[in-house]
Amino acid sequence: MKTTILILAAALLLIPTAVADNRNLIESAPDVGAAATKRLKPFISEAELNRYFGKIAKSRKRNSGSGGGGGGGTADQQVVSVSAGSAMVDVNASAGEESITNVQHAGVDEGGIVKLHGSHLVVLRRGRLFTISTAGDEIKPISTINAFAPDIDPDDTWYDEMLISGDTIVVIGFSYARGGTEIGLFRIGGKGDLHYRSTYHLRSNDYYSSRHYSSRLIGRKLIFYSPLEIDLTAKDVLGSFPALRRWHKGAKDSEFERIAPATQIYRPVQEIEADDDTVTLHTVTTCDLSDGGMSCTAKAVMGPSGNVFYVSLESVYVWATEWDYSSDKGRNHSFLYRMPLEGAEPGALQVSGGPVDQFSFLERDGRLNVLVRSESSGDGMWKADAAEGDVALMSVQVGGFSDGREAVPAASYRQLLKPEGYNFQNRFIGGYLLYGTGNGWTEPKKSKTHTLYAVPLGGGAVSELALPHGVDRIEALGRDAIVVGTHGKDLHFTSIRLDAAQPSVSARYAVKGASQGELRSHGFFYKPKGRTSGIVGLPVRGPGRPGYDHLVDDSASIIFLRNESLDLSEIGELKSRPETAVDDGCRASCVDWYGNARPLFLGDRVFALMGYELVEGSFRDGRIKEIGRSSFAPVQPGRAKTK
């Protein structure tokens, strides 16, 4: 649970995973011939799905000598808005709208804590939604509303992410109390007014990841990936399959309706053993938001539990990993699934190792490139920060996915240099894969020179670039890159030139007495001002602060740097005023798991969101100066609001 004591969570990051260290990733990859043209096969009916789990139950009963659970379920399970037609998404539905989120793929929005609707910023913070008008030259709080239904008890529920489609605001949370992903729909009016519409529950496990986001929006299509652990010992196995219900006071579990019929559930590549207690159903749910409501369809594949998912404009990829500790060599069993968004049948490949996070993937020019480590078990909770082992770059054709019986050949893995240290970071930028290690959630320390590795995707020698700081963040500066990292009590920015024949360090800038105020990818933003120039924004806090501080403390300020042909110079900071903080009467999501600070660029205007403060800056004489500030903190009875 996310309510685990923060100190304990931070301490766990220091413990290496208990797996043999120097295993060669390529040697463990079985070699096969050309991939087949087959695809995964779905169950043909509810009756066949029932028989499948009934057979497993009988096998368990024979092996244990006890009365194991039966197949359960009925052949006439209800389905919520499931259609056999295509789930093709309209990428152009949101064309022309300005993005204020640092997303991995243009056109694929990611759930975040702040979005833009017309001239209104919409902020999700500590269980509430807020709107702030930026019309004209104002910064004016407009409306606030609880991020949950009026008749819901928000206790033990976390409201984490938000997306906007048309006039519909979608709030995504996870409820331990009600058991599953909680999806709240709200309407935003033209004047920034907020109105509650409805709440749905999607049966799932907790989606939290220290690096990833659970939801995507392409056009008007809301996309979720959710791993769902199925208890094979249950009397009604199908009763725990992907399902949706609309919330109302007194809602019962019996009101969940299946959204993945048997014909959209694909047979496991690896047969379920009689002594297995659980199997993970990797589910991709697509919901249509075009009419202000929510109708959903789902597809699911059965596989191992460890997972990382990645969403391109065309497909959802799921890498599922399970370690076999019974083997002396500690080999893992991994499968990579491709689930096209346009409705085609999913495909699968046997693979080795596992990616670190979503940034380990890149689909481009008909190929899927994935950085993998030999000791990675997914990015759920804090697992991405503990990935270790050998490093390789896998490259396969998107059209080469089959029925999962084929393994990616060893020749498709390029062995890479293994970096020293932990808290591995990676990113595909331009024609390169960049990776290195840093401090992550721990306290920044002084250490010897770090190395950034630059791998050309088209082949050729790997460049090793020496840095005087850790690699805590890798981001794009147009076609080039910037690396951010701490070294003791100072924060460093290094620009990397990638458009030359050989990658090189271009320039460095150090901020004395500072550390990152936000670890998530959304905390960074780069606003291009031309082909080779632009503005960088990043939250910062005091010196030597551990990365996990962003969970409980607001950032001290947001720093802005100017990029001129990769030369970096500081423009200034927009600072918070922590002395103005008031008791907000928080009822839900009282830990900022998704951060609380963002640099925001709206046209020619620049803002700093820090907790409940929105500060506007203006560039004058080459420096940024504060020109406006507003607090949208909720006022508690008996307290005066601070201006």
Side-chain angles (χ1 to χ4, degrees):
M1 290 177 63
K2 289 184 286 186
T3 50
T4 304
I5 299 174
L6 299 180
I7 296 176
L8 176 60
L12 288 174
L13 296 177
L14 303 178
I15 303 174
T17 51
V19 188
D21 189 28
N22 292 311
R23 193 168 58 258
N24 189 301
L25 187 63
I26 290 183
E27 289 179 356
S28 66
D31 199 356
V32 297
T37 57
K38 300 176 182 177
R39 293 292 182 267
L40 294 174
K41 298 297 184 184
F43 291 91
I44 61 173
S45 66
E46 293 292 328
E48 185 189 28
L49 186 60
N50 269 296
R51 287 194 297 270
Y52 180 83
F53 285 104
K55 182 179 178 180
I56 294 173
K58 288 179 182 178
S59 181
R60 290 179 58 86
K61 185 176 181 179
R62 284 195 302 270
N63 286 358
S64 64
S66 61
T74 61
D76 59 349
Q77 291 273 1
Q78 287 186 318
V79 176
V80 179
S81 302
V82 171
S83 65
S86 169
M88 178 69 77
V89 294
D90 180 7
V91 177
N92 296 318
S94 57
E97 296 179 5
E98 183 174 19
S99 175
I100 60 171
T101 306
N102 180 30
V103 297
Q104 184 178 9
H105 269 301
V108 183
D109 199 9
E110 302 168 358
I113 63 169
V114 57
K115 297 293 178 182
L116 181 65
H117 183 267
S119 60
H120 294 94
L121 287 170
V122 184
V123 179
L124 173 65
R125 178 120 205 271
R126 292 166 66 85
R128 295 184 177 96
L129 283 171
F130 304 86
T131 56
I132 304 102
S133 173
T134 63
D137 58 357
E138 67 181 3
I139 315 174
K140 180 181 179 182
I142 299 296
S143 184
T144 183
I145 192 172
N146 285 332
F148 45 87
D151 53 0
I152 272 184
D153 179 357
D155 186 48
D156 216 11
T157 302
W158 299 91
Y159 299 97
D160 297 317
E161 302 179 18
M162 170 187 58
L163 288 159
I164 300 180
S165 174
D167 67 350
T168 300
I169 300 173
V170 184
V171 174
I172 299 101
F174 188 84
S175 176
Y176 291 104
R178 288 169 287 280
T181 298
E182 189 165 299
I183 306 163
L185 302 184
F186 299 80
R187 181 177 64 83
I188 179 170
K191 297 181 179 180
D193 45 307
L194 296 170
H195 308 273
Y196 170 75
R197 275 181 172 164
S198 56
T199 296
Y200 295 84
H201 288 122
L202 177 67
R203 190 180 286 149
S204 74
N205 298 135
D206 190 355
Y207 52 71
Y208 177 75
S209 167
S210 61
R211 298 188 182 186
H212 213 161
Y213 309 94
S214 72
S215 57
R216 300 291 191 274
L217 185 70
I218 305 179
R220 297 296 179 112
K221 297 292 184 181
L222 179 65
I223 300 165
F224 294 99
Y225 161 72
S226 55
L228 187 58
E229 190 174 90
I230 303 300
D231 182 4
L232 297 175
T233 67
K235 292 183 178 180
D236 180 11
V237 177
L238 298 188
S240 58
F241 269 47
L244 191 74
R245 74 173 178 190
R246 182 164 179 165
W247 168 261
H248 62 88
K249 190 172 183 179
K252 298 178 175 59
D253 286 348
S254 59
E255 296 177 45
F256 275 103
E257 298 180 346
R258 286 262 304 279
I259 57 172
T263 53
Q264 296 297 307
I265 296 174
Y266 293 80
R267 292 178 174 276
V269 174
Q270 194 175 33
E271 285 302 317
I272 299 172
E273 301 293 336
D275 57 352
D276 288 341
D277 288 334
T278 62
V279 64
T280 298
L281 207 58
H282 299 279
T283 308
V284 174
T285 303
T286 304
C287 301
D288 189 348
L289 301 174
S290 58
D291 61 356
M294 194 173 77
S295 59
C296 301
T297 64
K299 286 185 177 181
V301 296
M302 298 183 200
S305 57
N307 58 82
V308 178
F309 78 97
Y310 160 74
V311 183
S312 70
L313 283 168
E314 298 179 353
S315 301
V316 178
Y317 294 90
V318 179
W319 190 297
T321 303
E322 182 173 23
W323 282 96
D324 179 9
Y325 293 104
S326 64
S327 168
D328 291 339
K329 295 184 178 180
R331 294 184 185 276
N332 65 7
H333 303 285
S334 299
F335 295 92
L336 175 58
Y337 302 97
R338 177 177 180 256
M339 305 176 77
L341 292 172
E342 76 277 6
E345 300 293 335
L349 291 169
Q350 295 181 34
V351 287
S352 288
V356 175
D357 54 29
Q358 77 272 23
F359 296 115
S360 302
F361 293 80
L362 173 67
E363 181 193 280
R364 190 175 72 178
D365 299 331
R367 299 194 69 84
L368 178 69
N369 302 281
V370 189
L371 178 143
V372 295
R373 300 204 71 177
S374 59
E375 299 165 28
S376 174
S377 56
D379 67 355
M381 297 296 172
W382 296 274
K383 289 181 180 179
D385 298 277
E388 295 184 272
D390 295 329
V391 184
L393 175 61
M394 187 195 81
S395 182
V396 297
Q397 291 185 354
V398 170
F401 283 75
S402 64
D403 60 0
R405 298 179 185 177
E406 304 292 339
V408 175
S412 295
Y413 294 84
R414 180 184 182 185
Q415 189 81 33
L416 300 176
L417 294 170
K418 176 183 173 181
E420 295 182 4
Y422 302 100
N423 297 300
F424 186 92
Q425 301 292 329
N426 59 164
R427 197 71 178 257
F428 288 92
I429 299 176
Y432 289 88
L433 162 66
L434 306 177
Y435 68 92
T437 59
N439 292 289
W441 285 56
T442 60
E443 292 185 6
K445 301 177 180 64
K446 287 190 175 182
S447 60
K448 61 183 180 180
T449 301
H450 288 256
T451 302
L452 176 74
Y453 298 89
V455 183
L457 299 184
V462 175
S463 298
E464 300 178 51
L465 307 179
L467 302 178
H469 57 83
V471 180
D472 292 324
R473 179 184 292 276
I474 305 172
E475 301 284 357
L477 288 183
R479 296 185 304 179
D480 299 298
I482 187 169
V483 179
V484 183
T486 49
H487 178 64
K489 295 185 178 181
D490 300 330
L491 183 64
H492 294 252
F493 297 79
T494 299
S495 59
I496 308 295
R497 188 176 302 279
L498 295 177
D499 60 356
Q502 173 118 6
S504 61
V505 171
S506 182
R508 297 190 179 100
Y509 186 84
V511 182
K512 299 294 184 181
S515 58
Q516 277 202 93
E518 171 68 70
L519 298 187
R520 285 190 171 271
S521 61
H522 290 179
F524 174 94
F525 202 91
Y526 178 64
K527 177 75 170 182
K529 293 294 184 179
R531 183 173 174 273
T532 61
S533 63
I535 304 295
V536 168
L538 182 71
V540 297
R541 63 178 76 251
R545 303 305 302 162
Y548 62 77
D549 260 12
H550 77 274
L551 300 180
V552 291
D553 291 330
D554 295 347
S555 293
S557 61
I558 290 182
I559 192 169
F560 296 90
L561 303 180
R562 176 176 284 109
N563 166 40
E564 286 290 349
S565 299
L566 298 183
D567 183 42
L568 303 174
S569 59
E570 185 176 342
I571 303 173
E573 298 180 358
L574 294 177
K575 298 185 177 182
S576 66
R577 293 178 184 169
E579 69 276 7
T580 64
V582 297
D583 179 8
D584 63 358
C586 182
R587 295 179 59 199
S589 300
C590 300
V591 175
D592 292 325
W593 295 103
Y594 283 63
N596 52 47
R598 299 288 186 270
L600 302 171
F601 296 88
L602 279 62
D604 293 329
R605 299 173 72 183
V606 58
F607 296 88
L609 173 67
M610 295 168 288
Y612 287 122
E613 293 183 292
L614 186 64
V615 183
E616 183 174 7
S618 178
F619 298 111
R620 299 174 181 172
D621 301 322
R623 302 287 295 176
I624 191 167
K625 304 291 184 182
E626 180 183 326
I627 60 172
R629 177 184 296 261
S630 179
S631 170
F632 55 93
V635 179
Q636 299 304 301
R639 292 181 180 269
K641 185 171 182 179
T642 304
K643 294 184 179 179

